Amino acid sequence: MTEATAPRIDIGVQETVPTIHYQVAMPQPETHLFDVRLQIVNHTSSILDLKMPVWTPGSYLVREYAKNLQDFSACAGEQPLPWRKISKNHWQITKEGVSEVTISYRIFANELSVRTNHLDTTHGYFNGAALFLQPLGCENLPIRVTVVPPHPHWLVTTALPTIGEQSHTFYAADFDTLVDSPFEIGEHQLHHFQVLGKPHELAIWGQGNFQVQPLIRDIEKIIAVEAEIFGGLPYDRYIFLVHLFAQAYGGLEHKNCCSLIYQRFGFRSQDKYERFLQLVAHEFFHLWNVKRIRPKPLELFNYDQESYTTSLWFCEGTTSYYDLLIPLRAGIYDAKSYLNYWSKEITRFLTTPGRKVQSLSESSFDAWIKLYRPDANSNNSQISYYLKGEMVSLLLDLLIRARHHNQRSLDDVMRQMWYEFGQAEIGYTPEQLQAVIESVAGVDLTDFCERYIDGTDELPFNEYLKPFGLQVVTEKEEEPYFGVKVNTEHGRETIKFVEAGSPAQIAGIDAGDELLAIGGIKVTAHQLSDRLKDYQPNDKIEVTVFHQDELRTYTVTLAQPRPTKYQVLPIKNAEPIQQENFAGWLGVPFSTVC
């Protein structure tokens, strides 16, 4: 849907209330510069303060969007106004006796991600937090946004409604809504479809090997399944903004739309296609969980600094649990594929040593300094709240289902969170979240939370899977344990990770070293596993590397093999009650996975 057919509203103007109007132009898209003009009328104070957000909701990292702002100026009519910069993202204008101000600036936009801005000769895409200065004290006032495309045939797609008959002009109820409404401008494909009587749009920028109609049919299934969980759709119109790029992957949720970025040729292979639909299911589920059901520190957004919460495991991890489950319920893949996806997720989790160091609540709290800033030691010292949150959500769902014979589930937790907090957008505390889960489970979860959310105890997968006829099985590893991960980069075999306490670390090998040889014979990343199979545990091998350009040889004592792969498999001779529980959970007979 273009703005020509988007919902329209009429707004009145109160002469005593400040009015805010942004104009976004891109006269030379090849420069990657958005020209932004902000006009404020009826602002009577002698000082006008403006701030650029440092982060955007849904992406918990201070990204310093002000770094891309240049050519700032302020004027009243033709008269320039004095201004000064107070801090990295704070501009202050002196305007004694002036009630109408025009601020102009430009934003450099050449970072293609779901949380930033991108402008080139093919399209323009921007997020509100990364583009718009915020007039302090005016956060709750309505806003007009006019977009001036560089070419008349370019479309403008956004979840915001248009204003009357004004060309390319849109209405945001307040600054939060503006931040929550990205824009896609260009020659993108635009497809319309209806689900449960409500209009939806699929906007696709970039070429790829997708097939539109099958893709829309599967998206419709995902929407319908998620709407059934919560009892309907909490919006009047929804847009999927899709950017197709090289080897890209990611998404960002919004109340009435989502932005997705995916590899352009990732649709023919069935597993890659299913991965894209899991991404769709994840971001769409967020329109309830996170955008409306959100932790207390995120109830009101402070765009100037971090907002800390220990509950991101529920925001993101529980959503990740559902992004695997929703396509199964929608019939996009079968139960065998579902368990195979779980095998991969559990393998990722159990081969991350940081799970023994960082708790789930700490991982949530430290998102601002750790998750989005990985380094060579990250896998040793931290665990993703997405990944472990997904694991804990699995255990909670199985716990609830086993206690109540599938008559209750994590679905009931989500519904109760929606009724108590989401509909009114009242933030919840960790204690309130635990209370809701306990009320559905019918059991005190203090010990569970202390061990698996606030602690680092190993997750007892088999204890929770056994009532459903399943188990996690370790695949036998043939090679002795060395403890490094090596990638080929620019013709060099670079050691990217050295596991804490591993034979490699004990010997003195570092991440960043260039692996050259084992036993005096050249070895590549591709060959390493096979070469190690020629040795036995406790064998001593000579490993030659370049360490900071110095040639060094280390003696490494190999250890007993470590598991590197885990599978979720059915238990042999499962009892009738286990098979019944399985069918109640996944909706298909147990025999379908045997």
Side-chain angles (χ1 to χ4, degrees):
M1 183 181 296
T2 68
E3 76 279 10
T5 55
R8 296 181 181 275
I9 65 168
D10 293 308
I11 61 173
V13 177
Q14 298 180 24
E15 294 184 358
T16 59
V17 176
T19 61
I20 302 171
H21 183 199
Y22 295 91
Q23 177 183 282
V24 182
M26 52 215 83
Q28 295 179 293
E30 66 276 6
T31 66
H32 311 295
L33 288 168
F34 283 108
D35 288 6
V36 184
R37 187 179 69 189
L38 167 58
Q39 186 176 46
I40 303 176
V41 179
N42 296 327
H43 188 279
T44 57
S45 173
S46 61
I47 297 293
L48 174 61
D49 290 287
L50 302 143
K51 282 193 173 183
M52 176 66 77
V54 302
W55 70 287
T56 193
S59 183
Y60 307 102
L61 177 68
V62 171
R63 297 186 181 275
E64 309 293 17
Y65 293 126
K67 68 185 178 182
N68 294 316
L69 189 149
Q70 64 185 64
D71 303 323
F72 182 94
S73 66
C75 63
E78 299 296 324
Q79 182 65 37
L81 293 174
W83 61 272
R84 60 177 181 150
K85 198 167 182 182
I86 305 298
S87 67
K88 63 182 181 181
N89 66 323
H90 184 179
W91 288 257
Q92 187 176 83
I93 301 167
T94 302
K95 47 178 283 297
E96 191 72 44
V98 173
S99 64
E100 181 173 336
V101 181
T102 300
I103 299 100
S104 299
Y105 59 94
R106 297 201 287 177
I107 295 289
F108 184 73
N110 197 26
E111 183 179 353
L112 182 58
S113 80
V114 295
R115 63 192 72 85
T116 52
N117 306 324
H118 190 250
L119 175 64
D120 64 15
T121 56
T122 67
H123 83 141
Y125 170 79
F126 63 81
N127 282 280
L131 193 83
F132 295 117
L133 284 171
Q134 179 184 27
L136 300 190
C138 301
E139 293 83 1
N140 297 320
L141 295 178
I143 295 166
R144 286 186 298 151
V145 179
T146 298
V147 175
V148 183
H151 308 291
H153 63 279
W154 275 24
L155 304 176
V156 181
T157 299
T158 180
L160 294 176
T162 57
I163 298 175
E165 300 299 324
Q166 299 180 44
S167 177
H168 299 304
T169 299
F170 303 87
Y171 172 82
D174 49 35
F175 192 77
D176 285 343
T177 304
L178 183 62
V179 165
D180 201 36
S181 306
F183 281 69
E184 175 63 31
I185 306 149
E187 299 177 301
H188 48 279
Q189 296 186 35
L190 201 53
H191 305 276
H192 311 268
F193 56 99
Q194 295 262 335
V195 182
L196 300 177
K198 294 188 175 182
H200 296 73
E201 299 157 42
L202 174 63
I204 304 176
W205 170 79
Q207 298 181 20
N209 61 356
F210 59 91
Q211 297 181 29
V212 170
Q213 292 310 314
L215 180 59
I216 289 177
R217 284 196 294 270
D218 284 336
I219 291 174
E220 289 174 342
K221 294 174 186 177
I222 288 170
I223 294 171
V225 169
E226 296 192 16
E228 185 177 7
I229 294 174
F230 292 97
L233 297 171
Y235 53 77
D236 296 321
R237 168 176 167 253
Y238 192 90
I239 302 174
F240 296 89
L241 300 174
V242 180
H243 292 154
L244 299 181
F245 199 47
Q247 297 298 316
Y249 180 88
L252 187 63
E253 67 276 5
H254 303 281
K255 274 190 175 181
N256 299 309
C257 68
C258 64
S259 292
L260 310 170
I261 188 167
Y262 201 66
Q263 52 186 297
R264 65 171 76 253
F265 296 122
F267 296 88
R268 183 174 293 114
S269 167
Q270 187 62 27
D271 61 332
K272 291 182 179 178
Y273 177 70
E274 290 171 359
R275 188 169 184 239
F276 176 76
L277 292 174
Q278 289 167 356
L279 177 63
V280 171
H282 185 101
E283 301 307 331
F284 192 74
F285 197 85
H286 271 322
L287 74 90
W288 289 280
N289 193 28
V290 171
K291 293 312 300 181
R292 293 167 173 86
I293 307 169
R294 55 184 188 260
K296 193 70 176 177
L298 299 176
E299 181 179 330
L300 300 175
F301 295 115
N302 181 348
Y303 301 107
D304 206 34
Q305 63 183 37
E306 301 89 340
S307 296
Y308 296 99
T309 173
T310 58
S311 299
L312 288 183
W313 72 267
F314 183 76
C315 300
E316 295 292 354
T318 300
T319 300
S320 295
Y321 173 71
Y322 276 98
D323 75 33
L324 293 184
L325 186 60
I326 295 299
L328 171 71
R329 291 182 180 177
I332 292 168
Y333 47 67
D334 60 19
K336 273 191 174 180
S337 296
Y338 177 69
L339 296 185
N340 183 53
Y341 283 122
W342 266 110
S343 297
K344 294 177 180 178
E345 294 297 281
I346 289 174
T347 295
R348 279 206 304 137
F349 176 71
L350 291 178
T351 55
T352 303
R355 75 186 189 280
K356 299 178 181 179
V357 176
Q358 186 184 48
S359 71
L360 191 49
S361 56
E362 182 185 349
S363 174
S364 300
F365 193 85
D366 280 349
W368 299 93
I369 58 173
K370 290 194 174 182
L371 182 71
Y372 293 96
R373 290 173 171 162
D375 57 35
N377 192 52
S378 292
N379 278 352
N380 284 325
S381 62
Q382 65 188 74
I383 189 68
S384 164
Y385 52 81
Y386 284 83
L387 183 58
K388 188 174 181 180
E390 178 184 24
M391 304 293 138
V392 167
S393 297
L394 168 68
L395 299 190
L396 287 171
D397 196 17
L398 296 180
L399 180 155
I400 295 168
R401 288 176 177 277
R403 285 183 58 84
H404 297 281
H405 309 291
N406 278 307
Q407 297 305 302
R408 294 185 187 179
S409 71
L410 199 61
D411 290 4
D412 296 290
V413 172
M414 298 311 306
R415 279 190 284 268
Q416 191 166 330
M417 291 296 291
W418 171 242
Y419 297 145
E420 289 191 26
F421 303 100
Q423 288 181 328
E425 295 193 43
I426 301 170
Y428 61 84
T429 65
E431 294 76 19
Q432 289 171 320
L433 173 60
Q434 180 177 332
V436 169
I437 300 173
E438 288 178 339
S439 70
V440 173
V443 63
D444 187 328
L445 293 173
T446 300
D447 181 66
F448 182 99
C449 293
E450 288 178 350
R451 296 175 66 187
Y452 309 130
I453 296 177
D454 297 325
T456 56
D457 287 13
E458 288 284 26
L459 301 184
F461 290 108
N462 285 337
E463 176 186 337
Y464 285 78
L465 286 168
K466 184 177 180 181
F468 297 83
L470 299 172
Q471 60 184 333
V472 174
V473 177
T474 303
E475 285 198 6
K476 184 179 179 181
E477 187 60 43
E478 298 179 11
E479 66 191 60
Y481 177 49
F482 181 29
V484 302
K485 292 181 180 178
V486 184
N487 289 348
T488 302
E489 296 179 343
H490 309 294
R492 297 159 55 98
E493 310 305 314
T494 303
I495 296 174
K496 303 297 291 184
F497 174 67
V498 179
E499 185 168 341
S502 67
Q505 188 189 60
I506 292 171
I509 295 172
D510 277 347
D513 289 353
E514 180 185 356
L515 178 63
L516 299 174
I518 291 179
I521 300 175
K522 181 180 179 179
V523 63
T524 66
H526 178 71
Q527 298 167 340
L528 180 60
S529 178
D530 283 341
R531 289 284 296 277
L532 290 174
K533 290 175 185 176
D534 293 333
Y535 299 95
Q536 299 297 318
N538 299 317
D539 281 355
K540 297 182 184 298
I541 61 174
E542 300 297 314
V543 180
T544 304
V545 304
F546 272 128
H547 176 78
Q548 297 176 358
D549 298 330
E550 293 183 10
L551 186 66
R552 294 187 181 182
T553 298
Y554 298 95
T555 300
V556 179
T557 302
L558 298 175
Q560 292 295 325
R562 293 280 188 93
T564 59
K565 189 174 181 179
Y566 299 82
Q567 286 187 294
V568 180
L569 298 173
I571 295 171
K572 292 183 179 179
N573 303 316
E575 298 176 0
I577 185 61
Q578 291 173 308
Q579 298 186 38
E580 181 182 328
N581 286 340
F582 176 92
W585 174 32
L586 299 186
V588 295
F590 184 76
S591 59
T592 61
V593 298
C594 294

